[in-house]
Amino acid sequence: MSEGKVRTEDVPLKCSVAGKSHDYKYSVGDRVKFCRNEYQKLQVTNGMTGTIKQIRPTTDDVLLQVETDDGRILSFLASEYADEKGTFLCHAYALTIFSAQGVTVDGNTYTLFSNDMDRANAYVALSRHKDKSHMYIDASKLYVDEFSLKEHLEMDSTQDVRKLRYEALSQRLKEDSYSKLAIEWISQKDTGDLKLSIDR
């Protein structure tokens, strides 16, 4: 198998991912993600990734050999790393930002922007690479002040509209959208008006 090439075995395997059953097909060269912690035999954690080196159906099982990204070769039967819904594996060609935490990609990375991204998860997404990091953005997903956009469109200035969108992106990626406690919503000036009554 040449580097980066996927063969055509297409071995069907029922897999258990996030509590749901999925039907996948795997071949030598496929990138896979381990979806459940298993510390006894395989010593893998949820989110660990690797490449299938061998895959062979048996009478009532599937024998897999996976090279993990940390260089280990793991050989196991699909049924040994499974529950009633299937084997704890899925394809790993694309990862969510949450799943990508702690991952280092030996090459380029490609991130699809969404409005859910803020400063913290953009940092995670854009710092997984060893070579280059690319972000793809649907301009229509960027919120731009309606009045400003209308004003610039009337001026027929494509360059100005693009600038507005860059500014919107820049602002979005500066924000933190972590969940706040109720007390954090109370402004500093209001705290002096709060009175604590204790019944004795």
Side-chain angles (χ1 to χ4, degrees), residues 97 109-113 117 125-126 133-137:
I97 293 174
T109 60
Y110 303 86
T111 301
L112 179 62
F113 172 83
M117 293 179 70
L126 299 174
S133 179
H134 307 267
M135 178 183 274
Y136 292 86
I137 302 161

CSV table of all heavy atoms in Angstrom, one decimal, residues 97 109-113 117 125-126 133-137:
chain,number,residue,atom,x,y,z
A,97,ILE,N,-14.4,19.8,16.7
A,97,ILE,CA,-13.4,20.5,17.4
A,97,ILE,C,-13.2,19.8,18.8
A,97,ILE,O,-12.1,19.7,19.3
A,97,ILE,CB,-13.8,22.0,17.6
A,97,ILE,CG1,-13.8,22.7,16.2
A,97,ILE,CG2,-12.9,22.7,18.6
A,97,ILE,CD1,-14.3,24.1,16.3
A,109,THR,N,-4.2,21.0,8.0
A,109,THR,CA,-5.5,20.8,8.5
A,109,THR,C,-6.5,21.8,7.8
A,109,THR,O,-6.1,22.8,7.3
A,109,THR,CB,-5.6,21.1,10.0
A,109,THR,OG1,-5.2,22.5,10.3
A,109,THR,CG2,-4.7,20.2,10.8
A,110,TYR,N,-7.8,21.4,7.8
A,110,TYR,CA,-8.8,22.2,7.1
A,110,TYR,C,-10.0,22.3,8.0
A,110,TYR,O,-10.5,21.3,8.5
A,110,TYR,CB,-9.2,21.5,5.8
A,110,TYR,CG,-8.0,21.2,4.9
A,110,TYR,CD1,-7.2,20.1,5.0
A,110,TYR,CD2,-7.7,22.1,3.9
A,110,TYR,CE1,-6.1,19.9,4.2
A,110,TYR,CE2,-6.6,21.9,3.1
A,110,TYR,CZ,-5.8,20.8,3.2
A,110,TYR,OH,-4.7,20.6,2.4
A,111,THR,N,-10.4,23.5,8.3
A,111,THR,CA,-11.4,23.8,9.2
A,111,THR,C,-12.6,24.5,8.5
A,111,THR,O,-12.4,25.5,7.8
A,111,THR,CB,-10.9,24.7,10.4
A,111,THR,OG1,-9.9,24.1,11.0
A,111,THR,CG2,-12.1,25.0,11.4
A,112,LEU,N,-13.8,24.0,8.7
A,112,LEU,CA,-15.0,24.7,8.2
A,112,LEU,C,-15.6,25.5,9.3
A,112,LEU,O,-16.0,25.1,10.3
A,112,LEU,CB,-16.0,23.6,7.7
A,112,LEU,CG,-17.3,24.2,7.2
A,112,LEU,CD1,-17.1,25.0,5.9
A,112,LEU,CD2,-18.3,23.0,6.9
A,113,PHE,N,-15.6,26.8,9.0
A,113,PHE,CA,-16.1,27.8,10.0
A,113,PHE,C,-17.6,27.6,10.2
A,113,PHE,O,-18.4,27.3,9.3
A,113,PHE,CB,-15.9,29.2,9.5
A,113,PHE,CG,-16.5,30.3,10.4
A,113,PHE,CD1,-15.9,30.7,11.6
A,113,PHE,CD2,-17.7,30.8,10.0
A,113,PHE,CE1,-16.5,31.7,12.4
A,113,PHE,CE2,-18.4,31.8,10.8
A,113,PHE,CZ,-17.7,32.2,12.0
A,117,MET,N,-18.4,28.8,16.5
A,117,MET,CA,-17.0,29.0,16.8
A,117,MET,C,-16.8,30.3,17.5
A,117,MET,O,-17.2,31.3,17.1
A,117,MET,CB,-16.1,28.9,15.6
A,117,MET,CG,-16.2,27.5,14.9
A,117,MET,SD,-15.1,27.4,13.4
A,117,MET,CE,-13.5,27.5,14.2
A,125,ALA,N,-9.2,24.4,16.9
A,125,ALA,CA,-9.3,24.0,15.5
A,125,ALA,C,-8.1,24.4,14.6
A,125,ALA,O,-7.7,23.6,13.8
A,125,ALA,CB,-10.6,24.5,14.9
A,126,LEU,N,-7.6,25.6,14.8
A,126,LEU,CA,-6.6,26.1,14.0
A,126,LEU,C,-5.1,25.9,14.4
A,126,LEU,O,-4.2,26.4,13.8
A,126,LEU,CB,-6.8,27.6,13.8
A,126,LEU,CG,-8.2,28.0,13.2
A,126,LEU,CD1,-8.4,29.5,13.2
A,126,LEU,CD2,-8.3,27.5,11.7
A,133,SER,N,-2.5,25.5,8.2
A,133,SER,CA,-3.9,25.4,8.7
A,133,SER,C,-4.7,26.3,7.8
A,133,SER,O,-4.4,27.4,7.5
A,133,SER,CB,-4.0,25.9,10.1
A,133,SER,OG,-5.3,25.9,10.6
A,134,HIS,N,-5.8,25.7,7.3
A,134,HIS,CA,-6.7,26.4,6.3
A,134,HIS,C,-8.1,26.5,6.9
A,134,HIS,O,-8.6,25.5,7.5
A,134,HIS,CB,-6.8,25.7,5.0
A,134,HIS,CG,-5.5,25.4,4.4
A,134,HIS,ND1,-4.9,26.2,3.5
A,134,HIS,CD2,-4.6,24.3,4.5
A,134,HIS,CE1,-3.7,25.7,3.1
A,134,HIS,NE2,-3.5,24.6,3.7
A,135,MET,N,-8.7,27.6,6.8
A,135,MET,CA,-10.1,27.8,7.2
A,135,MET,C,-11.0,28.2,6.1
A,135,MET,O,-10.7,29.0,5.3
A,135,MET,CB,-10.3,28.9,8.3
A,135,MET,CG,-11.7,29.1,8.8
A,135,MET,SD,-11.9,30.4,10.0
A,135,MET,CE,-11.6,29.5,11.5
A,136,TYR,N,-12.1,27.5,5.9
A,136,TYR,CA,-13.1,27.7,4.9
A,136,TYR,C,-14.3,28.3,5.5
A,136,TYR,O,-14.9,27.8,6.5
A,136,TYR,CB,-13.4,26.4,4.1
A,136,TYR,CG,-12.2,25.9,3.3
A,136,TYR,CD1,-11.3,25.1,4.0
A,136,TYR,CD2,-12.0,26.3,2.0
A,136,TYR,CE1,-10.2,24.7,3.3
A,136,TYR,CE2,-10.9,25.9,1.3
A,136,TYR,CZ,-10.0,25.0,1.9
A,136,TYR,OH,-8.9,24.6,1.3
A,137,ILE,N,-14.8,29.5,4.9
A,137,ILE,CA,-15.9,30.2,5.5
A,137,ILE,C,-16.9,30.5,4.4
A,137,ILE,O,-16.6,31.0,3.3
A,137,ILE,CB,-15.3,31.6,6.0
A,137,ILE,CG1,-14.2,31.3,7.0
A,137,ILE,CG2,-16.4,32.4,6.6
A,137,ILE,CD1,-13.3,32.5,7.3
